[in-house]
Amino acid sequence: MKITGGRDEPTARPDDHLLEPERRALANVAYRLLGSLTEAEDAVQEAYTRWLSLPEARRDAISSPGAWLTTVVSRICLDQLRSARVRRERYVGEWIPEPLPVRAEWSELPLGSMARDPADHITLDESVEMAFLVVLDSMTPAERVAFMLHDVFRVPFGEVAEIVGRTPGACRELASAGRRRVAAARSRGAAAPRRAVLVRDFRQAWQAKDVDALIRLLDPSVVAVADGGGRAMASPVPVQGRGAVAEFLVRLAALAGRLDLLERTVNGQPGLVAMKGRDVLTVYAFDIDDDRIQRIWAIRNPDKLRPWADTSARPAGR
């Protein structure tokens, strides 16, 4: 799938609207590659712009527009990942992937938001779980693209090679390296109902400022990571160990004052959302292994909470 052709002024054809169903598939690829809903939507939009910029004869010659768009989106994401390495060096504090909301859990949504929101295009499965995205972020850009496209989206290595700019054999090695990283980090996990119970127990213990109860729920080697991006207060370094994490959480609760701590699905898993009035302050994701919480990710950067802020009408239930 070669990406060549002119950059004429975009001209829509009568059948270009037929490509809109491809947007869901493209959004799923881009979000998993970038870990950012905002950047994923930008990548998809850029791919559509490039499609419309092709001369009509060039578009007519492309037998599979969906495959062409997937190639373009993947290359855009690869370029983004490469430049992100430089941006991350300037990022203030820890960086965590952008959390993905589930709209159905929110009531009184703004008119039309469910139909337009890119978050609704993302299919929830283990490849969007926060723990999985964090492992993906440890890969090199080429590893991440080769592994995700082949292992998750079943793109043949020949096509992956055209996207990454390597040989098919080299892409097999890249995907294999990514596979090893995922296998090394994979936890035993817990059944979904048990995860929900643990997160609920955690919320209750935290709201009660009960250090002992929190300690019982935390793994001895638990790590809590916060992402404020220099835009919101957050610990600049991870907090490690269940005693230190429990005490930190209790101090945080005392400082924060009255907050609503709501149980919500975060990237397909039970999580929490801290709200003050109608404002979303923090989204919490968890990694649970062996019936204990091993990782806590607190996303506080307002830029990463925009998809959640769009649903800031008071949610029903706790």
Side-chain angles (χ1 to χ4, degrees):
M1 292 179 287
K2 304 296 184 185
I3 302 177
T4 57
R7 291 281 294 181
D8 297 343
E9 286 298 313
T11 303
R13 299 184 307 179
D15 61 344
D16 281 331
H17 72 280
L18 298 176
L19 286 177
E20 279 304 304
E22 299 288 346
R23 188 176 291 272
R24 173 181 289 275
L26 296 172
N28 274 280
V29 170
Y31 176 72
R32 287 161 174 80
L33 290 179
L34 297 174
S36 167
L37 191 61
T38 305
E39 292 180 5
E41 180 66 6
D42 288 345
V44 171
Q45 190 59 45
E46 173 62 19
Y48 273 81
T49 299
R50 293 186 188 184
W51 168 259
L52 293 174
S53 296
L54 293 175
E56 185 172 346
R58 171 72 176 122
R59 281 184 277 171
D60 287 338
I62 296 173
S63 60
S64 176
W68 187 92
L69 285 165
T70 299
T71 297
V72 173
V73 164
S74 299
R75 288 185 173 176
I76 292 170
C77 291
L78 181 58
D79 289 341
Q80 286 265 45
L81 289 169
R82 287 168 174 160
S83 64
R85 296 262 163 173
V86 177
R87 296 199 308 272
R88 299 279 177 80
E89 293 176 0
R90 301 192 297 268
Y91 196 81
V92 178
E94 300 290 323
W95 189 93
I96 301 173
E98 187 176 319
L100 185 69
V102 173
R103 299 297 182 191
E105 294 185 337
W106 301 77
S107 66
E108 302 175 24
L109 293 176
L111 183 62
S113 65
M114 291 188 72
R116 294 196 306 267
D117 202 291
D120 297 325
H121 290 307
I122 308 301
T123 303
L124 297 177
D125 60 29
E126 66 175 4
S127 66
V128 297
E129 292 178 14
M130 189 61 69
F132 190 85
L133 293 177
V134 169
V135 175
L136 289 179
D137 199 55
S138 70
M139 300 180 187
T140 67
E143 280 178 357
R144 184 168 184 165
V145 172
F147 169 74
M148 286 301 301
L149 290 181
H150 180 266
D151 283 37
V152 176
F153 294 102
R154 304 304 180 191
V155 177
F157 278 122
E159 295 178 19
V160 174
E162 292 187 31
I163 294 167
V164 178
R166 309 280 184 93
T167 66
C171 289
R172 286 189 182 89
E173 290 299 318
L174 289 169
S176 179
R179 212 173 295 129
R180 289 193 296 270
R181 289 180 188 261
V182 170
R186 190 178 296 278
S187 66
R188 292 184 294 278
R194 181 58 184 155
R195 288 180 180 231
V197 169
L198 285 170
V199 170
R200 176 165 298 172
D201 290 345
F202 175 86
R203 175 181 66 81
Q204 292 172 347
W206 191 6
Q207 289 180 319
K209 302 182 182 62
D210 189 334
V211 171
D212 292 335
L214 285 169
I215 286 175
R216 287 193 294 271
L217 296 167
L218 301 174
D219 187 85
S221 60
V222 64
V223 177
V225 182
D227 178 347
R231 305 271 324 277
M233 289 185 62
S235 174
V237 296
V239 181
Q240 302 184 44
R242 60 184 174 189
V245 170
E247 291 175 3
F248 177 81
L249 289 169
V250 168
R251 290 198 302 271
L252 186 63
L255 288 171
R258 171 62 180 166
L259 292 177
D260 287 320
L261 202 56
L262 309 173
E263 296 167 23
R264 291 291 179 263
T265 299
V266 180
N267 288 69
Q269 293 296 327
L272 297 173
V273 176
M275 298 185 68
K276 193 159 194 173
R278 296 167 63 90
D279 298 326
V280 178
L281 301 183
T282 313
V283 171
Y284 295 93
F286 301 87
D287 187 21
I288 296 172
D289 186 14
D290 199 21
D291 223 27
R292 293 289 185 275
I293 295 172
Q294 284 204 330
R295 297 287 184 276
I296 303 171
W297 293 285
I299 300 92
R300 306 203 71 237
N301 185 339
D303 292 338
K304 297 184 179 183
L305 298 180
R306 285 175 184 167
W308 299 78
D310 288 343
T311 54
S312 60
R314 185 57 174 257
R318 296 293 178 91

